[in-house]
């Protein structure tokens, strides 16, 4: 086994007295597509927010690409990470949010070129070439000069995926990428994620309620509840014949909401 691209080693996260993650042990291997499912409040999105350094941890160690995320090693001991270290680690990760988070005053193309020019130091020519390649990949070449408000929700989310890719991350994180979309627009976003999973070598971590989609694209599905992984394994095993009663209850509630 190669070294995990993501590793949570006994990670605890609290909000006040409320424990959201309890000594979580969790790994994602290089180029693995892992989907996290679970009820609201189970800790799914918190895992992604910790990885994006939006939420600090209260205990344990998070490793990204073999390096501690929230810590630095000095004289053989872990100390809290400096802002410089956090910046370096953030560059390894790309996040696709629920609510698109595009810059409304910038064209679609400029949404993709701004950070690569400012943060990665790409020339404008390089950044534009990269942006146009990515817009073609997500099927939006003809929308490059429009503003986000002129696009549908599905198109905006596809721009969000292209923007995350423009930073050349090693890891892509998806936080309920279709939850803000009208049902008829969900398919076009899932198609782009499926294409990424099938044709490109990325480590991908997806939080979603789209159970049929999770079955199609995942190498592994993790069911989380109460801040702990209850059950994990290949999608057909977890989503068809889960062993744990809590997993069965959750899947029944999601797949048969009217019963």
């Amino acid at each position: 086994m190669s070294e995990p691209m993501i590793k949570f080693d006994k990670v605890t996260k609290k909000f006040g007295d409320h424990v959201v993650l309890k000594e979580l042990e969790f790994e994602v291997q290089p180029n693995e597509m892992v989907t996290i499912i679970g009820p609201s409040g189970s800790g799914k999105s918190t895992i992604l927010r910790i990885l994006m350094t939006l939420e600090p941890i209260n205990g344990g160690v998070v490793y990204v690409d073999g390096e501690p995320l929230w810590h630095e090693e000095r004289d053989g001991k872990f100390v809290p990470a400096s802002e410089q270290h956090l910046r370096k680690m953030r560059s390894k990760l790309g996040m696709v949010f629920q609510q698109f988070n595009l810059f409304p005053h910038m064209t679609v193309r400029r949404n993709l070129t701004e950070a690569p020019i400012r943060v990665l130091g790409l020339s404008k020519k390089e950044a534009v070439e990269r942006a146009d390649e990515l817009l073609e990949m997500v099927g939006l070449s003809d929308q490059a000069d429009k503003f986000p408000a002129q696009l549908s929700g599905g198109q905006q989310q596809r721009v969000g995926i292209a923007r995350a890719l423009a930073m050349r991350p090693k890891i892509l994180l998806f936080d309920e990428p279709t939850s803000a979309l009208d049902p008829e627009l969900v398919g076009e976003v899932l198609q782009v994620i499926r294409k990424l999973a099938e044709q490109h070598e990325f480590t991908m971590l997806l939080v979603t309620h789209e159970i049929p989609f999770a079955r199609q694209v995942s190498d592994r599905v993790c069911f989380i509840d109460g801040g702990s992984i209850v059950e994990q394994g290949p999608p057909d095993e977890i989503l068809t014949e889960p062993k744990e009663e809590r997993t069965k209850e959750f899947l029944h509630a999601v797949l048969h909401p009217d019963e």
Side-chain angles (χ1 to χ4, degrees), residues 170-188:
K170 292 189 172 187
I171 299 165
L172 271 180
L173 308 174
F174 296 89
D175 186 14
E176 302 271 13
T178 59
S179 66
L181 299 178
D182 293 332
E184 67 269 20
L185 302 176
V186 168
E188 66 187 65

Side-chain angles (χ1 to χ4, degrees), residues 207-255:
V207 168
T208 187
H209 279 102
E210 300 282 346
I211 302 299
F213 180 67
R215 185 192 300 275
Q216 289 173 27
V217 301
S218 310
D219 297 311
R220 178 161 49 102
V221 172
C222 299
F223 172 63
I224 188 170
D225 191 30
S228 299
I229 292 175
V230 176
E231 191 169 1
Q232 61 181 313
D236 284 342
E237 183 182 299
I238 299 299
L239 301 176
T240 306
E241 300 206 0
K243 297 182 176 67
E244 300 295 328
E245 198 57 42
R246 183 68 191 94
T247 316
K248 293 176 188 173
E249 288 170 7
F250 170 78
L251 288 170
H252 186 81
V254 171
L255 296 171

Side-chain angles (χ1 to χ4, degrees), residues 126-157:
E126 281 179 298
V128 167
E129 285 174 1
R130 173 87 173 141
D132 288 348
E133 280 173 24
L134 290 168
L135 289 173
E136 185 176 346
M137 192 188 83
V138 299
L140 291 173
S141 293
D142 56 343
Q143 308 294 323
D145 296 316
K146 290 189 177 176
F147 289 89
Q150 296 173 284
L151 306 183
S152 70
Q155 288 172 324
Q156 289 187 58
Q157 190 58 292

Side-chain angles (χ1 to χ4, degrees), residues 13 16 27 55 88 96 161 163 187 248 253:
K13 172 62 186 172
E27 293 184 358
E55 293 289 352
K88 181 186 84 166
V96 179
I161 293 171
R163 187 179 62 175
K248 293 176 188 173

